[in-house]
Amino acid sequence: MNRTTGDHEGVRGGADGDRGGGDGRDRDEAGRARSARPRDGLGRPLPYGAEGVPRQPEGVVRGPEETVREAQRLLDAGMPFHAHEVFEDAWKSGPESERDLWQGLAQLAVGLTHAARGNVTGGARLLRRGADRLAGGSPAPDTHGIDVGGLVSWARELADRTEGAGGAVPDAAAEAPRLRPGLLQ
């Protein structure tokens, strides 16, 4: 039974009360492990029955314009974990030539997620890794109007600031990057 919604959709439940293949883990229709626990805005699992934020559906194919718009909306709302899932869908469904762009953006979102959760060292590491991927030259600096150079600078500055400030935890919404110059919610 899906303990979040009280129904069986998406998660298989055994007669003995487990949530899947006998190992006590939530599983989807194909038997893959999928946690049905609600999550907070930073993607942290909450107890079953708690009210969480809606999850991003997986495997959504969006065009670049819709990807950027949805990811920016989530970043502005302080939900970088959810924005990373939008970028992940883009790299999995988009052309190989744009893979580094979408993976780099996903790494920036995950880096901000970790930093905002209090893991400033891991967050800084992921911010730098994403910046390095974006700066590596594979995505053109103006791909889909995304401010690659500005994002690289933002990520490196935030990584330096959070580590250098004795582990200051950033506010995800206040630190949300601008994916395009002038892009508003």
Side-chain angles (χ1 to χ4, degrees):
M1 172 182 268
N2 183 323
R3 297 182 74 174
T4 305
T5 62
D7 64 24
H8 293 278
E9 184 178 356
V11 178
R12 299 184 317 184
D16 61 356
D18 73 51
R19 294 177 303 276
D23 61 2
R25 296 175 71 187
D26 296 325
R27 299 208 175 260
D28 66 12
E29 297 288 327
R32 292 181 303 266
R34 299 276 190 236
S35 177
R37 287 174 61 181
R39 303 231 174 213
D40 71 6
L42 291 173
R44 291 177 289 222
L46 298 170
Y48 286 109
E51 186 173 334
V53 300
R55 289 191 174 192
Q56 285 299 118
E58 292 183 40
V60 175
V61 177
R62 300 173 184 87
E65 186 68 31
E66 186 181 357
T67 295
V68 171
R69 190 173 37 253
E70 179 64 6
Q72 188 69 68
R73 182 187 71 77
L74 293 165
L75 289 166
D76 291 343
M79 297 171 46
F81 177 81
H82 303 285
H84 123 271
E85 292 176 334
V86 171
F87 292 134
E88 186 174 298
D89 285 340
W91 102 54
K92 290 179 178 179
S93 66
E96 181 67 29
S97 62
E98 295 180 5
R99 184 178 178 131
D100 282 342
L101 171 70
W102 301 119
Q103 282 185 334
L105 292 171
Q107 287 174 319
L108 296 185
V110 171
L112 178 55
T113 298
H114 279 276
R117 287 178 177 176
N119 177 7
V120 294
T121 301
R125 187 176 297 123
L126 283 162
L127 286 164
R128 288 188 183 102
R129 189 177 302 152
D132 290 347
R133 184 177 296 269
L134 291 174
S138 179
D142 62 350
T143 302
H144 305 300
I146 295 170
D147 183 9
V148 172
L151 290 167
V152 168
S153 296
W154 167 84
R156 290 180 175 156
E157 187 274 329
L158 180 59
D160 290 346
R161 188 164 28 95
T162 56
E163 280 187 325
V169 176
D171 176 275
E175 296 290 349
R178 304 309 315 154
L179 300 174
R180 290 186 181 143
L183 182 65
L184 300 177
Q185 294 188 47

